[in-house]
Amino acid sequence: MSFTRIARRDLPELEAVLWELRHDATGARLVWLDRAEENKTFCIGFPTRPWDDTGVFHILEHSVLCGSTHYPVREPFVELMKSSLNTFLNAMTYPDKTIYPVSSRDERDLHNLMRVYLDAVFHPLLLENPAIFAQEGWHYELDGDRVTCKGVVFNEMKGVFSAPDALLEYEADRRLFPDTCYRWVSGGDPAHIPELSWEGFAAAHRQWYNAGNALIFLDGALDLDAALAILDEALPAGSAGAPLPPLPLQAPVDGGTAVVDYALSDREPLEGHHWLGLGFGAGTFRDREELTALQALCDVLCGDNEAPLRRCLLEAGLARDVTMQLNDGVLQPTLLLTAKHCAGESLSRVEDLLRDTLTGLVQKGLDRARVHATLDNLEFSLRERQGGWMPQGLLLATQVYASWLYGGDPAANLCVEPLFGTLHRRCDEGWFEQLLERVLLDNPHRCRVILRPSHTLGAQRDAAEAARIRAVTDRWTEADRAAARALQDRTRHWQSTPDTPEALASMPRLRPEEVDPRPAVLPTVVETPAGLPVLRHPLPTHGITYLNLYFAAEDLDGEDLCRASFLCELLGALGTDTTPAARLPQRLRATFGSLQSRVEAYGGAEDFSRCRVFFCVSASMLNGKADRGLALLEELLRETRLDDRDKLWAILCQRRADLARQIAQNGNSFAMTRAGAAFRTECAVQEYAGGIACLQWLQAREAEGPDALPALAEQLEALMHRLFTRTRLTVSVTSDAPACAEEAAVRLAEALPAGTRVLPAACAATWPAPAKEGFVLPADIAFAAMSGPFPDANRGTARVMKRVVYLDHLWSNIRVRGGAYGTGMVLRNNGLASLSSFRDPDAAHSLACYRAIPAFLRQYTGDVTGAILGAVAESDPLLCPRDKGKTADARYWKGLSDAALARTRQEILHTTTADVAGYARRMAELTGSSAVCVLGPRRQLEACGAELDTIISL
């Protein structure tokens, strides 16, 4: 064997064995978590330490997946998206490392993914093809006398730099780490990305991407010998390189004060929208006890409106929100305390009050009951090991890299025993107060960042970019211009040249006949204990109960849904008749792993006119705390007090600001929902409950001021009495404790009033006719969406067609040639299709690409094998136990049976090229009768011309 075993140890908490190995020829290191996990994960990572703001390693992350020696297709990443059963496929750039993770439940598929990724990182074609750098990084685009800058990463980072949170964090790091790689924006600053040359880019790959630097991670029940054989073949002999010196520690510095402008919507006044950020060094990666304690302190001090730092500024009227976050996973973590939406002249008072409050907490002591409760909640989260968008294997990989990369123990962050026992004991010894004093009050490693709102920053950035381009082009000789034109032409030629059959044949892939013809079945048992309908999902949940309470809400109109959405923010945030607001956070954290409320809509999968609407309260708790959890849920549903005007006002302002930021950063999903609202009630409900319509409702309530809140409180009180009744309730329980479902039903049936409910023939929420709308965002990039009816949305053939349109048409024209960071097509079970772009430099171009889909399909003659495999993978996503229960609920409410899912799977597996091409007519009908919604800067909206009928400022 070409690997030497370094260490083996048991990790009982993970039911795993951790193996450490070293590759003999190159020195590459490997960690394998050997555990009974069906989803198998591979990741290869490299230390990558930036030395400027050009984003060189971010551009490399994109570019290595654009063809390699053994897989010389233009975009192996896209070919894998087309033809793999992967459960995760991506790459990520961090401040000091780049990782390339993949996962799959099929071991053959994982081997294919490994081979392609390993060849990509070690033998990329980027070293010989400047067009790859031009596409993924940046290049000059010449159109007559007009010259612009274009590139995928360039536009991605324009979107990132539109977020005030990101600007504040980047500037804090610059101030805290003047002497190390953390001072630089690893993703790239759009103002500096064009300073990177292709030669420097290629040299960075040669220097940093050598096997001696590689850190390889494997997870799951896999054949280690087979994986090692693939690695041994792929790791280039003789590429060990010189050992990297340790990443130096930054000595504590006072980073002083920085003032940074951020873009604010021109419909909001500049006054009252300054941000103050206080940044602190927080030790090193080895200080796990302290870092875990600081993570808990973030919640104790700022986790809700009753937390002391947030409460002191809210009550003083000096800020609308206060947050504290620990940024770890790096050699030297940081803590960032941020007061948001303050008056510019009051920032010194804000800082003084924060310091006085912290001093008082150190002297008088923290609320130790809350600290203990927060530690319980944090331990629950760490033991649950649910990474949100990332599979559990990737979550574990990030925890391993967060120590291993810096020479630490790769297992240091994997287990929580006996960490929390120690922290609970230290809480009672005054240790948390000492930590607070040392890190937040007496810390010499600190900085201060002020974010200043601007209505003109977007225009200023445009002007600065134009001036920079003019300065460059004014110096061009004829040879320089010819070289820029030649690179542009070469890039376009490379982008438009189809891969050869031989190149495509080099890509490893499964065959459709190797795919399980049956989709996964999620168990749902329908029962009626105590007269309440119950959806029970008996699944292994490791001692956790996931509870969803669905209160029917089809009779709520649009205004009611906006109120219901706001009510979701209030449950658990306001006091009850039994528990005052100041004590409620402690009870919540001691009882639940999570608690949240949402308005949810489920359109019918067969009858598209049908839509179920619910006010859903979701909670997770240990099985042993189910009694306590149900009692607290009953209290929240029956006794929440809505008569505190100050608290209502604070939550209203916070919700409005948060939703505005979400829309500005993830505008594609909001735009698709808005465009679909005219066609499907499900989208209309989502618009009122959390979309642009909801934001406008919140803006109107904010404009009315606090004096209008008593009337709103009365309406919310009436809505609670109307909704939270037995006759509206269906209980869903996902648990490995059989008695939990019946216990929940009995308790809730006894606690809730009977109420009355008449299920309307159709939902009360309606929407106007389809529109073509543009909404101005304080951003440098756009999001363009088009939605319309698509009756075949549940057909397997349509699912394959969607993959073909997405990857062969939209990706090629909008991302590759257009430079947008992302694009996509969504088919909803309710018979709706949506098209979108993400961080888009040219929304008008994207809309034209949508309208060109019918012509693309009429001419389509490609091989659909890869699209079939991709559609199968997409139809059977990897789900954690909580999400399995939630997905099973969704299928029940939509009327999506196991038989229908099996039929769709068979249709997918038997789709032909002719089936895909045959959707040209359907897509022509969709694009001809669709609604359009574009979010972005005004100049982009105006460039859309007749595609938009109205332009409104958000």
Side-chain angles (χ1 to χ4, degrees):
M1 183 182 289
S2 298
F3 284 80
T4 297
R5 190 178 86 177
I6 304 301
R8 176 200 184 278
R9 76 188 91 171
D10 293 328
L11 301 178
E13 191 177 319
L14 279 173
E15 298 180 346
V17 176
L18 184 147
W19 297 82
E20 291 184 66
L21 300 94
R22 175 177 284 109
H23 188 238
D24 296 334
T26 64
R29 290 173 288 162
L30 182 146
V31 161
W32 173 38
L33 288 179
D34 178 9
R35 62 192 186 107
E37 167 58 39
E38 177 194 18
N39 189 58
K40 303 154 184 63
T41 299
F42 161 78
C43 182
I44 184 166
F46 300 91
T48 50
R49 305 171 186 172
W51 54 86
D52 59 24
D53 285 328
T54 61
V56 57
F57 293 118
H58 187 189
I59 300 171
L60 274 173
E61 173 226 304
H62 281 240
S63 300
V64 300
L65 295 169
C66 290
S68 62
T69 301
H70 290 98
Y71 308 107
V73 296
R74 190 171 65 247
E75 291 188 286
F77 180 74
V78 175
E79 295 303 319
L80 291 175
M81 284 199 291
K82 291 179 182 178
S83 59
S84 167
L85 296 178
N86 73 83
T87 51
F88 190 87
L89 181 76
N90 214 324
M92 286 88 84
T93 304
Y94 292 87
D96 57 13
K97 61 183 171 288
T98 306
I99 65 172
Y100 295 86
V102 293
S103 66
S104 179
R105 286 170 290 212
D106 188 298
E107 191 159 7
R108 297 162 302 180
D109 191 43
L110 184 76
H111 292 166
N112 292 341
L113 296 168
M114 288 175 62
R115 289 187 177 97
V116 175
Y117 263 48
L118 286 164
D119 200 55
V121 297
F122 290 121
H123 305 292
L125 296 181
L126 64 86
L127 296 173
E128 59 193 59
N129 184 2
I132 295 174
F133 170 70
Q135 172 183 289
E136 297 299 322
W138 75 276
H139 68 279
Y140 288 115
E141 189 84 1
L142 287 73
D143 183 8
D145 292 333
R146 184 169 179 262
V147 180
T148 57
C149 197
K150 191 173 179 181
V152 172
V153 169
F154 180 71
N155 287 310
E156 176 189 354
M157 295 309 295
K158 277 191 170 185
V160 172
F161 268 63
S162 297
D165 310 75
L167 292 174
L168 195 151
E169 186 175 335
Y170 289 148
E171 189 58 36
D173 284 345
R174 192 180 303 281
R175 294 277 166 167
L176 291 172
F177 299 102
D179 306 316
T180 77
C181 68
Y182 297 126
R183 69 164 297 186
W184 307 110
V185 180
S186 59
D189 182 338
H192 295 283
I193 287 173
E195 296 168 5
L196 179 64
S197 69
W198 176 69
E199 291 79 10
F201 161 78
H205 180 273
R206 286 189 287 268
Q207 178 182 355
W208 294 87
Y209 278 62
N210 66 73
N213 288 340
L215 300 172
I216 301 165
F217 175 86
L218 292 168
D219 174 65
L222 50 80
D223 182 340
L224 181 63
D225 288 340
L228 294 183
I230 293 170
L231 289 166
D232 189 41
E233 181 181 352
L235 291 168
S239 64
L244 281 177
L247 185 59
L249 289 172
Q250 172 68 58
V253 295
D254 184 340
T257 299
V259 180
V260 179
D261 288 342
Y262 79 97
L264 184 71
S265 169
D266 58 11
R267 74 179 306 279
E268 296 192 57
L270 296 176
E271 181 57 30
H273 287 290
H274 280 68
W275 290 29
L276 173 66
L278 303 176
F280 305 92
T284 76
F285 75 98
R286 295 186 187 278
D287 305 320
R288 191 175 183 216
E289 274 188 10
E290 292 192 3
L291 293 174
T292 305
L294 287 172
Q295 191 174 350
L297 282 174
C298 288
D299 181 80
V300 170
L301 298 176
C302 296
D304 53 68
N305 287 359
E306 298 305 318
L309 293 189
R310 190 181 290 184
R311 186 178 66 240
C312 75
L313 290 186
L314 292 177
E315 290 179 349
L318 292 177
R320 291 192 172 183
D321 201 2
V322 184
T323 61
M324 191 162 78
Q325 67 183 43
L326 176 70
N327 299 316
D328 58 358
V330 292
L331 178 70
Q332 290 178 272
T334 59
L335 203 65
L336 191 57
L337 174 60
T338 307
K340 303 178 181 180
H341 306 292
C342 313
E345 65 274 10
S346 69
L347 293 181
S348 60
R349 292 174 58 205
V350 169
E351 188 169 5
D352 288 344
L353 183 53
L354 287 173
R355 185 171 186 85
D356 290 346
T357 304
L358 288 168
T359 300
L361 291 170
V362 169
Q363 294 173 348
K364 299 176 183 177
L366 294 162
D367 180 346
R368 292 184 180 174
R370 171 153 181 165
V371 176
H372 284 299
T374 296
L375 289 172
D376 286 342
N377 185 263
L378 182 56
E379 182 178 7
F380 179 101
S381 175
L382 292 176
R383 288 183 180 276
E384 191 179 26
R385 293 186 173 89
Q386 293 184 4
W389 55 271
M390 64 172 69
Q392 189 180 83
L394 178 53
L395 175 65
L396 296 172
T398 61
Q399 293 174 333
V400 166
Y401 283 120
S403 175
W404 193 28
L405 182 73
Y406 315 110
D409 179 1
N413 299 317
L414 292 177
C415 301
V416 301
E417 296 175 352
L419 178 64
F420 282 91
T422 301
L423 290 174
H424 279 291
R425 185 177 67 253
R426 290 193 163 189
C427 172
D428 295 326
E429 297 171 349
W431 180 81
F432 276 77
E433 288 83 358
Q434 296 169 18
L435 179 65
L436 187 158
E437 182 175 31
R438 176 158 49 85
V439 176
L440 290 174
L441 288 174
D442 298 337
N443 194 340
H445 197 180
R446 61 193 302 126
C447 73
R448 186 172 183 263
V449 180
I450 296 170
L451 289 190
R452 184 172 56 193
S454 170
H455 288 158
T456 60
L457 182 61
Q460 292 170 9
R461 284 174 173 164
D462 288 345
E465 185 176 336
R468 182 192 61 77
I469 292 173
R470 272 197 312 274
V472 170
T473 56
D474 285 348
R475 297 193 302 270
W476 274 357
T477 64
E478 284 303 315
D480 292 331
R481 182 173 291 275
R485 174 74 69 180
L487 177 59
Q488 175 180 314
D489 292 344
R490 178 175 179 176
T491 303
R492 288 181 178 177
H493 176 74
W494 173 70
Q495 291 171 337
S496 59
T497 301
D499 291 314
T500 66
E502 294 78 14
L504 290 171
S506 71
M507 291 293 297
R509 65 185 69 195
L510 299 178
R511 299 185 302 274
E513 56 267 27
E514 295 178 290
V515 174
D516 190 337
R518 300 157 301 178
V521 174
L522 300 176
T524 299
V525 180
V526 182
E527 302 170 332
T528 54
L532 276 183
V534 172
L535 309 178
R536 183 166 61 85
H537 310 296
L539 289 165
T541 57
H542 306 289
I544 297 172
T545 291
Y546 298 99
L547 183 67
N548 291 288
L549 307 181
Y550 294 97
F551 294 95
E554 288 86 354
D555 54 335
L556 302 191
D557 62 18
E559 187 77 11
D560 288 332
L561 289 168
C562 290
R563 295 189 192 103
S565 175
F566 183 47
L567 182 60
C568 290
E569 303 296 316
L570 304 179
L571 287 183
L574 300 176
T576 70
D577 294 339
T578 302
T579 307
R583 305 306 302 170
L584 187 58
Q586 171 194 326
R587 288 192 63 197
L588 293 174
R589 285 157 177 78
T591 305
F592 299 119
S594 62
L595 175 69
Q596 57 183 340
S597 302
R598 299 172 305 273
V599 175
E600 299 177 350
Y602 299 94
E606 294 184 0
D607 179 0
F608 298 149
S609 65
R610 179 176 171 270
C611 184
R612 297 302 311 270
V613 182
F614 300 99
F615 189 108
C616 180
V617 181
S618 301
S620 63
M621 65 204 90
L622 296 174
N623 293 346
K625 293 185 177 181
D627 279 346
R628 193 193 314 175
L630 287 166
L632 186 47
L633 283 171
E634 294 164 13
E635 182 181 325
L636 294 174
L637 294 171
R638 296 190 61 183
E639 300 181 17
T640 293
R641 298 184 62 90
L642 301 169
D643 54 357
D644 191 321
R645 190 176 78 172
D646 291 340
K647 289 183 178 11
L648 278 177
W649 179 247
I651 296 170
L652 175 71
C653 295
Q654 290 163 357
R655 172 59 177 154
R656 196 275 310 158
D658 286 344
L659 185 54
R661 283 197 294 274
Q662 290 172 27
I663 291 172
Q665 288 301 299
N666 300 290
N668 54 325
S669 60
F670 290 94
M672 284 191 289
T673 298
R674 178 80 178 191
F679 303 103
R680 294 292 183 264
T681 303
E682 181 178 346
C683 291
V685 171
Q686 292 167 344
E687 253 298 286
Y688 288 123
I692 294 170
C694 182
L695 175 63
Q696 292 171 324
W697 183 86
L698 290 165
Q699 289 170 337
R701 303 292 78 75
E702 193 174 27
E704 290 171 351
D707 290 343
L709 289 179
L712 177 60
E714 288 184 11
Q715 295 166 341
L716 294 170
E717 183 86 27
L719 190 59
M720 285 182 62
H721 291 307
R722 181 177 166 190
L723 283 174
F724 300 149
T725 64
R726 289 199 303 272
T727 56
R728 289 180 180 263
L729 176 60
T730 299
V731 178
S732 165
V733 177
T734 304
S735 179
D736 51 13
C740 277
E742 182 174 355
E743 180 184 357
V746 170
R747 289 284 301 267
L748 291 165
E750 292 175 352
L752 295 176
T756 58
R757 185 191 71 158
V758 177
L759 189 65
C763 289
T766 59
W767 197 261
K772 297 181 177 181
E773 301 173 295
F775 293 92
V776 179
L777 293 180
D780 295 336
I781 40 73
F783 310 89
M786 180 181 288
S787 296
F790 198 82
D792 289 351
N794 288 310
R795 294 287 306 276
T797 49
R799 302 283 163 155
V800 177
M801 179 274 296
K802 185 199 82 165
R803 300 286 301 180
V804 169
V805 167
Y806 164 40
L807 293 170
D808 288 352
H809 177 70
L810 297 178
W811 183 280
S812 298
N813 288 290
I814 294 176
R815 189 188 189 279
V816 172
R817 299 185 185 93
Y821 181 46
T823 182
M825 179 176 179
V826 175
L827 294 181
R828 298 196 189 211
N829 294 123
N830 61 10
L832 188 78
S834 297
L835 304 151
S836 70
S837 65
F838 181 70
R839 293 181 180 168
D840 190 344
D842 192 345
H845 166 74
S846 296
L847 293 174
C849 290
Y850 305 157
R851 299 202 182 279
I853 291 173
F856 162 76
L857 288 173
R858 281 191 288 269
Q859 299 170 9
Y860 182 72
T861 58
D863 180 2
V864 297
T865 303
I868 287 172
L869 293 167
V872 168
E874 190 174 53
S875 69
D876 207 358
L878 183 70
L879 301 171
C880 62
R882 175 196 60 202
D883 293 339
K884 285 181 179 178
K886 198 65 181 173
T887 300
D889 289 346
R891 292 176 180 177
Y892 178 82
W893 297 125
K894 293 176 180 181
L896 195 57
S897 66
D898 290 339
L901 292 168
R903 184 169 60 249
T904 299
R905 172 69 63 90
Q906 287 299 314
E907 290 172 349
I908 289 172
L909 292 172
H910 293 92
T911 299
T912 66
T913 298
D915 291 331
V916 170
Y919 276 104
R921 181 179 61 83
R922 286 282 196 196
M923 289 303 297
E925 292 171 356
L926 182 142
T927 56
S929 61
S930 59
V932 171
C933 180
V934 180
L935 312 178
R938 184 173 293 275
R939 56 179 170 74
Q940 277 219 50
L941 304 184
E942 292 173 347
C944 290
E947 285 283 9
L948 300 179
D949 294 332
T950 60
I951 295 178
I952 304 166
S953 199
L954 278 182

